[in-house]
Amino acid sequence: MFVARSIAADHKDLIHDVSYDFHGRRMATCSSDQSVKVWDKSDNGEWHCTASWKTHSGSVWRVTWAHPEFGQVLASCSFDRTAAVWEEIVGESNDKQRGLSHWIKRTTLVDSRTSVTDVKFAPKHMGLVLATCSADGVVRIYEAPDVMNLSQWSLQHEISCKLSCSCISWNPSSSRAHPPMIAVGSDDNNVTYSGKVQIYEYNENTRKYAKAETLMTVTDPVHDIAFAPNLGRSFHVLAIATKDVRIFKLIPLRRENATSSGPTKFEVQVMAQFDSHNSQVWRVSWNITSTLLASSGDDGCVRLWKANYMDNWKCTGILRGDGSPVNGSSGQGTALSAVGSAGAQSQNSVVGAASAGRYFFPHLDPPRAGSRLALLLPPPSLIEPTCETDHTHAHQPPQIRRRYTPALPTQPAEHD
Amino acid sequence: MEEVDVEPTTTLIPGVGLKQKHVGFEWGPGDILVYETNFKLQGAGSGGPGFPFVHVVRKDEDIYSPILRKLFNESHHIFVGLQNIKDDMPSKNKKPQFVSVSKNYRSVIRACMEELQQVAVSTQDTSLVAQYSNQVSILLAIELIWNLCEVLFIDAAPAGILLLHLLDWVRLHKADVDEKVREVLQSESPTHHHAYWEVVISFVLQGRMDEARQILMKQANLQPASRPIYQLMDSLLQKMPIFNPGSTQTLTEFDVKWRHWHEECDRYLQDNSFASNRHLETICKILVGDEDTMLEHKELLGTWYHFLVSRLLFFHPTVKPSELHYYAQSSMDMFLDSRSAPEPLDSILLAAFEFDLHQVIKDCSIALNNWWFVAHLTDLLDHCKLLQSHNLHFGSNLREFLVLEYASGLFSHHSLWQLAVDYFDHCPEFGRVYLELQIERVPLETERKALKVLRICEQRQMNEQVRSICKIMAKRALSNNRLGSALSWSIRAKDAAFATLISERFLQDYCTRGSFSDLDLIDNLGPAMLLSDRLTFLGKYREFHRLYGEMRFTEAAKLLLSLMTAKIAPRSFWMTLLTDALPLLEQKEVIFSVDQTHELMFCLEELTSDNSETKPERPAQDEDIESTKLELLRLALARNLAMAIVKEGTVEA
């Protein structure tokens, strides 16, 4: 992996969240500077800020996009105890020429009496539905009954979780077999011995959300939670950021009788548990097909996790700031930064080379330190003599490929 | 649960981690965004300085190389062709097909490699050169491994032919001899060239006896004194038996013949026939399979696997596939000095010689940076039914896992995603779900691209994705005020509510402007009109205008009336319809019949009685206009009724 581009976000305080839109052509950033910025990607891959405005009167924790079926709609939540919904309107033509867009506030959701810690749109098959959670322990579910009029939102449900809430995640499954479901995580430090993840399920008969499950094994504060895309499976997969990264499998149990109106019961299994961050984990998130999970922790690293075809999970890559302290085992990274600019590109690609396949199979001998290690193939007619490579390569990261020097057209002249 | 094996690679993000210790991130389609942050902050802002950068971290750069794109495109055709090879064909007939598929893949790799090499040579930019060189060496490795897998697994040649294939394999990948021989022959005095004997020995080591003899002849001609021993060597080289699979000769017959020749060589060596010329003696030692002599020419062999093949050529040319692994392991041990550990490529080739397919695929996945190779090779091996026969219970899963990985990577590219669709189509277990998840994320920058994505979804009956794409496009068109486009997309999406809303907008526009936009679309709605009541009304109302414009007044009048009596028109629109009736009533000839006029009057009364109840607080001025309009209408209706009665009475009489 390599840094392809750096975007000057120009927020005047900490960035708390960055959110891609559904197609990955736009992104929104939010910050403690109380503003939200919207960025558009041009055809050449550059990002341009097309809107920046003050959204709240406190730190903006999260920003999220609604599905494009509902138009260009954003929701934000803040320390100022509110959440807000924003809609882009097509402005005057000269605005468009200047590359600017207009966002107007459609509603402010003021029901919380404490900081609103997370905001998430429900899966689109449920309509335009928005959930918030707050430090006072309440999950609120709002709905815009008329998708053409986003200024009217009604508070449909208030779920009292009895614990300060930090994060929510909707189950994305659109299968008829799965009623709407939302998982709530709590970072409550005051209550020690209770499950910090609760799962609520919508009941058609009572038209209410009822608690279906509490993950009793998760007793440490939870900071983030993420359902994986369902992939047509009967069970659900939930990733949790707590003192480590955990992946749970929730298998719905067959109801005893079909008419039973109680919530679904689940068999809960731990699929994986990683403590490589060695510390508090703050964020977890799945990629589109849930083949990769990313997590970020107190160690200042983003770690990427992947399961092979036999469901063995591995850390396949680490992203880390070059300013953060080196932690023992990954000395490889520092060697990289020492490489001069001419070699930087190839070094980067070497890292990329290594990352793709690493996680694939369970048993593998660790690479031995030393020069011959990862040199792959001498393209016979192409490589330079390798006799002196031993010491020159000794301080470099392991290389997968041998390098070759292309024959310069001028060289063979002496034999003529 | 968590197995520690390879230390995962670390990618450093410049400028991050100086002020705050946390790194936030966000998944994107082909990349991941990272930024410096502090997750612990729960109160007001830090008030600190800004945190200026969001970094785009990309996974795979190969996909963006224009030359490798050709590899992806061409191999896609081969892949699709391979999937279409019929299952019911007897497996005997399939083998040549699979071998030819394998060769096609390899020739694509070769073509790509050559192009990269040319570009690398002509580029000035050193970092680009390094990048291209890297890619070339990777492709070389891939081709080398693939070729060996083709020989051992796909072609699966028996003893005798096996060695011939291995020789071809070594010759193809140790082509520097040809360069060197050209250099020698082009020099002023080839026989005195410092590389003269290297060339001869290289030819011998590769079993290219005719070429070796040609070169040797040059030397013999110059040295009449030692001509006899040159001739002796020439005849030994000429006589060396080579197995010919086309002939009727059996392997045993060949073996007898070969042994006979071998003994003859040995005899000449023992009686010191070549003692006067150390070069010829060396060659003779190689011919009898002397390993130490071969190892003295390590730099000519280059690799342990060349040594392996040369060793087999002069020691055991009828080697069986099952014996290979023993020779491979020992050749590697002899060739590599004890202090250097084997490299990934060595282990991969060794695993292949041991016929451990699983290990080959595993090691390749780890050592190589793209899924292209493992996905295509595994797919081919799976088609050859090789994964099952090697007792991998997860055979098809492994193939699908790798193909899905490869195709997912393609999907993040702005044009290669179209290739990925076919790969997903050939993954029976998860292909469909992956395609559904990926394709709805393809950016719909233009209508043309949207139609392209839509067609792919429609062909696969992906109804939910079809509906969603149309809905997104409709919504976007509406917010850009392109009503016609919005309407046609919402009709495609079969979204009744949205069609109603847009029809409403059309009617509003008509009321304010007095004309319709997007006439083509509305005129040609056809059965799509039935999607929503309001859309039906819009279509019918436009039809009324058309009839009126074509002076087909009777039909127009009938349609207008039916719009109200059949309750197709919304009540709010009745006044407009009645006003539209005015000019028809004012015509010289009678258009509305007595019954029709009665119905019109009834509609008007129904409307006014409603109005008086529901809208009491109207501005006085509006009220005036409204009442004037009513008066006019009533007058026109009454006059028309009178005329109609007269006319109808006259006709009857």
Side-chain angles (χ1 to χ4, degrees):
Chain A
M1 299 210 285
F2 63 107
V3 177
R5 194 181 290 280
S6 295
I7 306 152
D10 200 29
H11 274 291
K12 294 188 176 52
D13 205 331
L14 276 178
I15 296 174
H16 291 296
D17 199 15
V18 174
S19 178
Y20 260 119
D21 80 332
F22 189 72
H23 291 120
R25 301 282 300 177
R26 316 189 84 183
M27 68 166 172
T29 55
C30 67
S31 160
S32 265
D33 69 7
Q34 310 183 352
S35 73
V36 164
K37 288 174 195 254
V38 171
W39 305 76
D40 284 79
K41 193 179 185 176
S42 63
D43 290 334
N44 62 10
E46 302 220 16
W47 289 93
H48 301 283
C49 181
T50 53
S52 171
W53 71 101
K54 185 175 187 289
T55 47
H56 290 274
S57 52
S59 291
V60 188
W61 301 133
R62 300 263 200 171
V63 62
T64 187
W65 295 82
H67 193 277
E69 277 185 24
F70 304 109
Q72 297 299 307
V73 179
L74 280 172
S76 58
C77 67
S78 164
F79 183 65
D80 73 1
R81 308 176 194 177
T82 68
V85 176
W86 311 87
E87 187 176 23
E88 184 181 37
I89 52 164
V90 175
E92 303 299 310
S93 54
N94 56 349
D95 271 350
K96 248 188 183 168
Q97 278 159 10
R98 293 207 312 271
L100 299 176
S101 66
H102 271 299
W103 290 80
I104 54 172
K105 188 191 272 190
R106 288 304 187 193
T107 192
T108 307
L109 306 169
V110 295
D111 304 281
S112 172
R113 272 161 299 220
T114 54
S115 174
V116 181
T117 49
D118 201 357
V119 61
K120 295 274 163 65
F121 283 102
K124 69 172 193 294
H125 66 268
M126 291 171 61
L128 190 50
V129 170
L130 185 69
T132 65
C133 73
S134 48
D136 59 8
V138 182
V139 172
R140 295 180 177 85
I141 296 172
Y142 299 88
E143 184 174 5
D146 176 5
V147 297
M148 298 312 296
N149 179 4
L150 301 189
S151 52
Q152 285 179 9
W153 288 80
S154 58
L155 177 56
Q156 296 280 337
H157 305 279
E158 270 191 312
I159 308 168
S160 174
C161 300
K162 314 226 165 39
L163 290 169
S164 171
C165 301
S166 55
C167 50
I168 41 181
S169 176
W170 288 97
N171 184 342
S173 173
S174 60
S175 157
R176 278 168 203 280
H178 301 142
M181 184 193 288
I182 190 167
V184 190
S186 163
D187 58 355
D188 208 313
N189 269 318
N190 302 322
V191 189
T192 337
Y193 294 109
S194 68
K196 293 296 195 308
V197 173
Q198 301 173 31
I199 291 159
Y200 293 86
E201 191 185 70
Y202 183 68
N203 187 311
E204 281 294 343
N205 300 327
T206 60
R207 300 192 176 187
K208 280 194 170 121
Y209 280 85
K211 193 190 285 184
E213 191 66 54
T214 302
L215 302 185
M216 295 310 291
T217 54
V218 185
T219 52
D220 293 287
V222 168
H223 298 289
D224 202 8
I225 194 164
F227 271 109
N230 183 263
L231 299 181
R233 299 174 295 214
S234 61
F235 58 88
H236 312 294
V237 174
L238 184 67
I240 289 165
T242 173
K243 64 171 184 187
D244 49 21
V245 178
R246 270 180 237 186
I247 305 175
F248 285 93
K249 189 183 203 174
L250 306 172
I251 308 162
L253 297 177
R254 200 174 293 236
R255 286 163 191 271
E256 279 162 20
N257 52 345
T259 54
S260 156
S261 62
T264 315
K265 290 286 160 214
F266 295 97
E267 182 192 336
V268 181
Q269 295 176 357
V270 179
M271 286 174 81
Q273 187 165 359
F274 321 117
D275 52 9
S276 314
H277 283 291
N278 253 328
S279 55
Q280 193 63 247
V281 184
W282 293 91
R283 285 285 190 276
V284 281
S285 174
W286 299 93
N287 69 347
I288 295 176
T289 47
S290 69
T291 49
L292 281 166
L293 177 76
S295 63
S296 178
D298 263 346
D299 59 351
C301 292
V302 174
R303 288 173 190 270
L304 307 181
W305 309 92
K306 179 164 183 63
N308 71 7
Y309 62 99
M310 293 191 290
D311 261 346
N312 281 321
W313 289 81
K314 299 247 163 285
C315 180
T316 73
I318 298 172
L319 306 177
R320 188 161 53 85
D322 63 359
S324 52
V326 181
N327 57 346
S329 57
S330 353
Q332 201 178 21
T334 41
L336 237 182
S337 63
V339 171
S341 60
Q345 180 114 23
S346 67
Q347 294 300 334
N348 271 335
S349 66
V350 168
V351 172
S355 66
R358 290 249 146 140
Y359 36 79
F360 180 52
F361 283 88
H363 302 287
L364 186 83
D365 294 333
R368 280 147 291 232
S371 62
R372 290 199 77 242
L373 160 68
L375 305 181
L376 195 62
L377 165 78
S381 58
L382 302 173
I383 61 162
E384 54 200 325
T386 50
C387 48
E388 75 284 359
T389 51
D390 268 357
H391 58 275
T392 52
H393 281 198
H395 62 279
Q396 283 185 6
Q399 258 180 286
I400 293 292
R401 318 150 202 187
R402 282 179 187 153
R403 303 234 225 108
Y404 83 102
T405 317
L408 295 173
T410 53
Q411 270 181 343
E414 57 186 288
H415 300 298
D416 290 340
Chain B
M1 182 147 305
E2 185 185 354
E3 290 177 58
V4 178
D5 48 35
V6 194
E7 180 75 13
T9 47
T10 302
T11 308
L12 290 182
I13 316 297
V16 171
L18 293 169
K19 298 170 195 144
Q20 301 289 338
K21 64 177 195 168
H22 290 146
V23 181
F25 66 89
E26 162 77 354
W27 281 110
D31 49 23
I32 187 166
L33 300 175
V34 294
Y35 52 95
E36 187 173 305
T37 188
N38 183 347
F39 291 123
K40 275 190 184 139
L41 191 79
Q42 297 201 330
S46 70
F51 296 87
F53 288 102
V54 173
H55 305 272
V56 181
V57 179
R58 203 168 268 170
K59 274 189 289 198
D60 185 1
E61 68 191 316
D62 281 349
I63 212 168
Y64 298 96
S65 150
I67 297 165
L68 290 182
R69 202 170 302 165
K70 281 184 200 156
L71 175 72
F72 301 140
N73 270 313
E74 309 247 318
S75 51
H76 164 255
H77 292 299
I78 305 172
F79 174 85
V80 172
L82 174 59
Q83 312 307 312
N84 294 333
I85 291 181
K86 299 232 163 20
D87 269 342
D88 49 3
M89 201 190 285
S91 55
K92 211 190 216 171
N93 303 354
K94 276 196 217 165
K95 193 163 122 182
Q97 286 204 42
F98 289 141
V99 172
S100 118
V101 165
S102 176
K103 290 199 163 121
N104 287 343
Y105 276 129
R106 284 200 295 119
S107 73
V108 172
I109 302 175
R110 287 234 149 219
C112 211
M113 207 152 60
E114 275 159 28
E115 199 176 338
L116 270 171
Q117 209 168 318
Q118 275 168 13
V119 182
V121 170
S122 60
T123 306
Q124 300 296 319
D125 185 339
T126 48
S127 69
L128 269 181
V129 170
Q131 189 191 331
Y132 291 140
S133 316
N134 251 322
Q135 288 171 343
V136 169
S137 21
I138 288 209
L139 287 180
L140 268 166
I142 286 177
E143 210 268 336
L144 178 80
I145 300 166
W146 192 305
N147 195 350
L148 183 62
C149 289
E150 180 183 304
V151 169
L152 297 179
F153 303 114
I154 302 167
D155 209 356
I161 306 174
L162 176 64
L163 183 70
L164 298 181
H165 285 325
L166 288 175
L167 273 172
D168 285 340
W169 173 63
V170 158
R171 286 170 192 161
L172 187 63
H173 293 93
K174 183 80 175 130
D176 61 340
V177 190
D178 300 280
E179 254 169 66
K180 222 187 271 173
V181 74
R182 217 172 297 130
E183 194 186 299
V184 168
L185 291 178
Q186 281 169 0
S187 68
E188 278 173 20
S189 160
T191 47
H192 291 104
H193 193 280
H194 66 91
Y196 175 84
W197 285 105
E198 287 179 18
V199 167
V200 176
I201 292 174
S202 294
F203 276 141
V204 171
L205 286 170
Q206 291 192 3
R208 295 160 73 171
M209 301 313 181
D210 291 342
E211 287 155 284
R213 285 171 56 212
Q214 274 178 22
I215 309 270
L216 267 183
M217 269 309 149
K218 290 187 187 297
Q219 194 79 285
N221 293 337
L222 286 177
Q223 300 180 15
S226 47
R227 186 168 285 178
I229 59 164
Y230 276 97
Q231 274 169 349
L232 182 60
M233 177 53 72
D234 187 64
S235 79
L236 279 182
L237 292 176
Q238 190 189 10
K239 275 193 285 183
M240 178 178 180
I242 300 290
F243 183 69
N244 181 359
S247 75
T248 50
Q249 184 189 40
T250 66
L251 194 63
T252 328
E253 283 164 2
F254 164 75
D255 197 38
V256 170
K257 220 172 146 195
W258 184 83
R259 277 176 201 288
H260 188 74
W261 170 83
H262 201 249
E263 280 158 19
E264 189 183 348
C265 293
D266 201 37
R267 235 175 5 251
Y268 288 124
L269 192 65
Q270 298 304 327
D271 62 17
N272 288 325
S273 299
F274 296 109
S276 61
N277 185 320
R278 66 179 173 93
H279 294 299
L280 292 182
E281 187 165 38
T282 303
I283 293 176
C284 192
K285 279 183 182 167
I286 292 174
L287 293 185
V288 299
D290 185 284
E291 285 154 357
D292 293 333
T293 312
M294 283 190 220
L295 285 172
E296 280 164 23
H297 295 90
K298 257 189 191 176
E299 73 285 357
L300 297 182
L301 290 164
T303 58
W304 65 267
Y305 41 92
H306 190 333
F307 172 55
L308 163 70
V309 176
S310 301
R311 197 177 152 209
L312 290 172
L313 177 67
F314 299 111
F315 187 74
H316 189 15
T318 56
V319 64
K320 293 190 200 104
S322 56
E323 298 165 340
L324 265 182
H325 74 99
Y326 159 73
Y327 288 103
Q329 181 71 58
S330 61
S331 299
M332 192 169 96
D333 293 344
M334 287 159 86
F335 192 86
L336 301 179
D337 40 38
S338 53
R339 62 192 163 85
S340 52
E343 296 159 7
L345 180 65
D346 300 328
S347 334
I348 292 169
L349 295 175
L350 190 63
F353 284 122
E354 286 167 351
F355 286 84
D356 189 345
L357 253 185
H358 185 225
Q359 190 70 30
V360 171
I361 295 167
K362 164 183 165 173
D363 286 354
C364 288
S365 308
I366 292 159
L368 298 166
N369 79 329
N370 63 57
W371 295 100
W372 179 89
F373 173 57
V374 273
H376 286 92
L377 181 65
T378 309
D379 173 59
L380 180 58
L381 295 173
D382 190 53
H383 275 88
C384 299
K385 310 269 182 241
L386 283 166
L387 295 182
Q388 285 93 327
S389 69
H390 283 72
N391 294 326
L392 309 182
H393 309 295
F394 43 79
S396 68
N397 277 343
L398 174 62
R399 172 197 169 273
E400 177 155 329
F401 177 85
L402 296 170
V403 173
L404 286 174
E405 284 296 337
Y406 172 65
S408 300
L410 288 182
F411 237 103
S412 61
H413 188 272
H414 63 88
S415 66
L416 292 175
W417 65 269
Q418 295 167 78
L419 304 179
V421 174
D422 286 318
Y423 286 91
F424 283 141
D425 280 348
H426 290 104
C427 291
E429 201 180 347
F430 284 113
R432 166 91 179 195
V433 194
Y434 270 59
L435 181 59
E436 284 174 0
L437 286 170
Q438 295 278 9
I439 203 157
E440 58 183 13
R441 303 273 179 166
V442 173
L444 310 167
E445 294 102 338
T446 58
E447 297 237 332
R448 211 169 134 234
K449 186 151 177 210
L451 288 170
K452 191 185 265 178
V453 178
L454 200 62
R455 201 158 45 240
I456 290 169
C457 295
E458 280 170 348
Q459 282 161 356
R460 286 159 186 78
Q461 277 93 47
M462 293 162 57
N463 300 330
E464 173 48 30
Q465 281 69 26
V466 168
R467 192 200 59 75
S468 187
I469 290 165
C470 294
K471 182 134 197 206
I472 291 168
M473 294 306 286
K475 180 81 191 176
R476 191 189 297 168
L478 182 67
S479 59
N480 288 323
N481 266 317
R482 290 183 289 115
L483 287 186
S485 172
L487 182 58
S488 63
W489 280 111
S490 58
I491 289 169
R492 265 192 113 141
K494 300 194 174 55
D495 185 342
F498 211 67
T500 301
L501 191 117
I502 297 163
S503 309
E504 204 87 48
R505 287 278 293 274
F506 265 110
L507 294 168
Q508 272 171 25
D509 275 13
Y510 171 74
C511 289
T512 50
R513 291 210 313 251
S515 65
F516 283 107
S517 56
D518 300 285
L519 285 179
D520 266 4
L521 175 69
I522 303 173
D523 282 347
N524 297 301
L525 281 173
M529 196 188 282
L530 301 173
L531 179 62
S532 95
D533 289 352
R534 202 52 47 89
L535 184 60
T536 316
F537 172 63
L538 175 67
K540 289 287 170 195
Y541 185 53
R542 164 60 201 156
E543 198 178 323
F544 159 75
H545 278 267
R546 213 183 58 230
L547 292 171
Y548 187 86
E550 290 165 5
M551 315 274 276
R552 291 152 72 183
F553 295 132
T554 323
E555 289 162 78
K558 198 175 157 201
L559 179 58
L560 186 69
L561 186 60
S562 70
L563 285 178
M564 282 182 284
T565 52
K567 312 277 182 213
I568 295 170
R571 188 61 63 89
S572 60
F573 217 77
W574 281 24
M575 201 59 207
T576 314
L577 292 179
L578 287 166
T579 319
D580 283 333
L582 257 180
L584 289 171
L585 294 167
E586 304 280 313
Q587 291 286 328
K588 276 201 183 116
E589 56 183 302
V590 179
I591 292 164
F592 286 103
S593 69
V594 177
D595 289 349
Q596 286 174 324
T597 317
H598 275 300
E599 282 186 272
L600 276 178
M601 292 167 114
F602 181 75
C603 289
L604 181 63
E605 288 318 306
E606 203 178 313
L607 189 63
T608 45
S609 60
D610 267 12
N611 275 357
S612 55
E613 287 163 23
T614 53
K615 291 173 186 165
E617 77 289 346
R618 287 179 145 239
Q621 202 183 2
D622 274 13
E623 197 74 29
D624 277 357
I625 297 171
E626 223 34 37
S627 60
T628 319
K629 216 189 242 174
L630 275 179
E631 286 311 309
L632 274 173
L633 260 175
R634 287 202 173 109
L635 184 65
L637 282 167
R639 274 169 37 187
N640 190 73
L641 184 61
M643 282 164 69
I645 291 171
V646 172
K647 189 187 164 205
E648 281 168 34
T650 318
V651 173
E652 275 167 26

